[in-house]
Amino acid sequence: MKTKCLIIGSGPAGYTAAIYAGRANLQPVEYCGMQMGGQLTQTTIVENFPGYPEGVDGNQMMMDLRQQAERFGADLRDGVITKVDFSSRPFHLWTDRDEEIEADTVIIATGASAKYLGLDDEKKYNGQGVSACATCDGFFYRKKTVAVVGGGDTACEEALYLSQLCKKVYMIVRKDYLRASDVMCKRVEENEKIEVLFEHNTLGLFGENGVEGAHLVKRKGQPDEELVDIAIDGFFLAIGHKPNTDVFAEYIERDETGYIKTIDGSPRTNVEGVFAAGDCADPHYRQAIVAAGSGCKAALEAERFLNK
């Protein structure tokens, strides 16, 4: 199978790239990956995407974007890209069904996956009190009590953000110190709404119709080990994200954590004709509207590249 433009991934970045590439008559082919619609399909209500004054269900929003992409001629397919060869053009890629694709341009929009603790309760309460994005979901916990897991800069940022909305914020930190920068540690320490629980690990969550509390263990494995329960309404993971970029590692430059490096603030990568959009190239913002904008830019760049 041959295409002028292959899009890999189906979150806001991938679908927006497909809309723009379709309108440019590039007849794009989009492989939607294992999680069609991306991370937003795990969110209940999206309230911060322009155009939805009452908010919108995450799955519904992704279906709207998908239908818009199809309307402009995008060929949307199930499947995962498992192997690539970017050593010459046209590029060669293979799917998990051993289909081979030739593409003149490629837009990588594979996103990033939040890291979880691996507790069964995280799945049980997903969308019912468990979240990996305070900016996305913090609004639902106004004047409530929440916990943030993690001790780095991201966790501190999430806790500080939530402290503006919530009655109380616990930080659950495995070590006896915060790994964050000095300035972030100082802000957390000075915030009266934030209580840091050092040397605590999460054992599980509990609640009837959503998260109502967390089972913790203090100083796990030590002689003075102690079981602790805290009452919370929300449980936020802030232990990092892993960009879904390993399959491109041989050809595409990435930073030390795997995010794709782009050139001069554009979606261009070190391989001419290969572009990156969305969370796979964005360790900072991780917002649907930012991802959608970068998908637009990637499609425009692909069109310009082809016209050259």
Side-chain angles (χ1 to χ4, degrees):
M1 191 267 288
K2 295 183 179 181
T3 180
K4 291 179 187 175
C5 180
L6 178 70
I7 300 165
I8 309 170
S10 60
Y15 282 147
T16 304
I19 290 166
Y20 275 79
R23 291 183 78 246
N25 203 30
L26 300 185
Q27 298 168 315
V29 173
E30 179 175 5
Y31 274 86
C32 294
M34 295 195 53
Q35 190 177 1
M36 192 178 296
Q39 292 183 80
L40 279 189
T41 58
Q42 295 184 316
T43 302
T44 47
I45 302 296
V46 179
E47 292 197 319
N48 54 7
F49 197 95
Y52 295 99
E54 301 300 321
V56 61
D57 177 80
N59 279 286
Q60 183 58 52
M61 186 174 127
M62 289 298 97
M63 285 302 299
D64 291 345
L65 288 176
R66 180 183 175 88
Q67 288 171 14
Q68 198 170 357
E70 288 178 319
R71 179 187 160 209
F72 292 116
D75 180 355
L76 274 54
R77 302 185 177 198
D78 295 335
V80 178
I81 300 298
T82 55
K83 182 183 173 186
V84 304
D85 181 356
F86 292 159
S87 60
S88 61
R89 273 198 311 272
F91 305 117
H92 289 260
L93 305 93
W94 291 264
T95 73
D96 52 350
R97 296 169 186 166
D98 289 328
E99 299 165 316
E100 184 174 352
I101 308 152
E102 283 187 15
D104 295 322
T105 60
V106 173
I107 295 173
I108 301 170
T110 46
S113 301
K115 294 178 182 176
Y116 286 82
L117 296 173
L119 305 171
D120 289 340
D121 288 339
E122 288 171 317
K123 294 176 184 174
K124 177 181 176 181
Y125 293 106
N126 193 18
Q128 293 183 292
V130 172
S131 170
C133 180
T135 315
C136 309
D137 299 327
F139 186 76
F140 303 113
Y141 297 92
R142 284 173 300 170
K143 300 181 180 177
K144 294 185 178 181
T145 299
V146 299
V148 175
V149 181
D153 277 331
T154 299
C156 289
E157 285 175 13
E158 303 268 274
L160 288 163
Y161 174 80
L162 289 165
S163 72
Q164 300 172 53
L165 302 166
C166 301
K167 180 173 64 178
K168 183 178 180 66
V169 180
Y170 290 105
M171 285 187 71
I172 303 169
V173 182
R174 282 189 305 121
K175 299 183 183 295
D176 59 357
Y177 62 90
L178 293 171
R179 294 182 292 105
S181 58
D182 289 345
V183 64
M184 294 303 289
C185 291
K186 191 166 186 290
R187 287 176 187 166
V188 165
E189 289 164 5
E190 292 174 351
N191 193 307
E192 293 179 356
K193 287 188 177 180
I194 300 175
E195 181 180 344
V196 183
L197 302 175
F198 290 112
E199 296 185 274
H200 281 68
N201 285 270
T202 308
L203 297 176
L205 303 169
F206 60 87
E208 291 297 319
N209 299 308
V211 171
E212 294 175 9
H215 299 300
L216 311 178
V217 56
K218 182 179 180 181
R219 290 180 56 77
K220 184 178 180 181
Q222 301 301 316
D224 57 347
E225 176 180 303
E226 180 185 353
L227 297 177
V228 179
D229 282 359
I230 56 172
I232 54 172
D233 304 290
F235 185 77
F236 288 84
L237 281 302
I239 53 177
H241 284 71
K242 185 185 187 308
N244 305 315
T245 60
D246 288 352
V247 69
F248 313 108
E250 185 179 348
Y251 301 96
I252 299 297
E253 286 186 8
R254 306 181 299 161
D255 69 11
E256 64 278 1
T257 51
Y259 287 95
I260 293 174
K261 291 183 177 181
T262 54
I263 298 168
D264 298 332
S266 76
R268 288 177 286 127
T269 70
N270 60 297
V271 177
E272 279 195 89
V274 178
F275 309 93
D279 286 11
C280 67
D282 176 15
H284 302 296
Y285 300 107
R286 295 196 298 271
Q287 296 299 302
I289 188 65
V290 178
S294 69
C296 160
K297 291 196 289 185
L300 294 175
E301 288 283 355
E303 181 190 5
R304 289 168 187 164
F305 178 83
L306 292 167
N307 286 338
K308 278 195 283 188

